[in-house]
Amino acid sequence: MAITFSDLHTESGLKSLNDFLTGKSYISGDKLTKDDIKVYAAVLKNPGDSFPNVSQWYNCVSSHLASSFPGKAVGVSLGGKADPAQSAEAKSPAADDDDDDLDLFGDETEEDKKAAEEREAAKKSAKKKESGKSSVLMDVKPWDDETDMKKLEEAVRSVEMPGLLWGASKLVAVGYGIKKLQIMLTIVDDLVSVDTLIEEHLTVEPRNEYIQSCDIVAFNKI
């Protein structure tokens, strides 16, 4: 059953609210609801000792709102006086629907809990992913002296994955006219395995057309 309060900006309206709140902590039930928010918005300010029940309830709602909106308020005063009849006409059914949808302190649903857990897991995962990086120096060997080293390097750098960053490279003579590619790479440890990079990306088709094998020359934590 709907509860009606009127003229909460007047002493008579506040007295009616004060009488209603006798023995109560909130407007509806035993916890804060949007009914409290609606009534709170209609009370211009804490009425003080003149209406103790209203004053205690007003402070309680203010405390809840302060914890929900932690930003620092500078204070706002509202001037002017609207004609109640015009205000009632101006309020459309759509506004009522919006009020029904607004629930600052409603019960948390299973979907809300699941979404919160997923956000928390994502935050932990992001922190973990950024926990460590390594700098790797790798030798990439061709099949023979006829291997196109430019295409070999293009094949190496074409490997892309989260947490992998290719760096500087150079060709180093091995002997008998054969050169190997020596290349730097930076990896996020929890995202990239060097063994997997070599075995599942660099030395398999189509890149093994140019790449015979890969060796780790240096591996350093950053």
Side-chain angles (χ1 to χ4, degrees):
M1 183 176 181
I3 305 168
T4 302
F5 297 103
S6 60
D7 299 326
L8 292 178
H9 60 288
T10 66
E11 286 196 8
S12 60
L14 289 173
K15 183 178 184 308
S16 174
L17 178 60
N18 192 74
D19 293 341
F20 176 83
L21 287 171
T22 300
K24 297 183 178 66
S25 297
Y26 302 103
I27 299 297
S28 304
D30 58 356
K31 61 182 179 180
L32 195 69
T33 68
K34 58 187 177 184
D35 289 340
D36 294 276
I37 305 302
K38 289 180 180 179
V39 177
Y40 178 88
V43 177
L44 299 181
K45 62 180 180 179
N46 191 326
D49 296 337
S50 300
F51 302 98
N53 296 330
V54 177
S55 179
Q56 182 178 355
W57 165 83
Y58 191 94
N59 287 334
C60 180
V61 177
S62 296
S63 177
H64 280 286
L65 291 177
S67 63
S68 298
F69 303 97
K72 184 178 180 181
V74 297
V76 175
S77 296
L78 302 178
K81 184 177 180 181
D83 179 13
Q86 292 179 350
S87 298
E89 292 175 1
K91 187 173 182 180
S92 65
D96 290 335
D97 292 342
D98 290 342
D99 286 343
D100 290 338
D101 292 337
L102 177 62
D103 191 351
L104 297 179
F105 304 98
D107 294 337
E108 188 176 32
T109 66
E110 287 300 322
E111 291 183 357
D112 293 334
K113 292 180 181 178
K114 185 177 180 181
E117 291 172 358
E118 290 176 351
R119 286 195 297 271
E120 190 63 27
K123 289 179 182 178
K124 291 180 179 179
S125 177
K127 290 180 180 178
K128 183 178 179 182
K129 289 176 182 178
E130 294 299 328
S131 61
K133 293 182 180 180
S134 298
S135 176
V136 182
L137 179 62
M138 180 188 296
D139 279 349
V140 184
K141 300 175 182 177
W143 287 101
D144 50 39
D145 60 340
E146 295 183 356
T147 300
D148 188 328
M149 296 303 292
K150 183 177 180 180
K151 289 186 177 180
L152 180 145
E153 182 171 355
E154 289 176 353
V156 171
R157 292 185 182 276
S158 68
V159 178
E160 296 180 354
M161 62 177 67
L164 171 64
L165 178 64
W166 295 106
S169 64
K170 64 179 180 179
L171 295 179
V172 179
V174 177
Y176 304 101
I178 300 175
K179 294 182 179 181
K180 64 182 178 181
L181 174 71
Q182 197 165 78
I183 188 167
M184 293 290 300
L185 57 144
T186 301
I187 62 172
V188 176
D189 298 332
D190 294 322
L191 295 177
V192 180
S193 163
V194 177
D195 291 337
T196 300
L197 174 64
I198 293 173
E199 295 171 6
E200 298 183 9
H201 296 277
L202 293 175
T203 57
V204 296
E205 294 182 352
R207 297 181 181 89
N208 62 358
E209 178 182 351
Y210 306 101
I211 301 170
Q212 180 196 56
S213 62
C214 300
D215 295 315
I216 303 302
V217 179
F219 192 109
N220 298 301
K221 294 288 185 180
I222 299 177

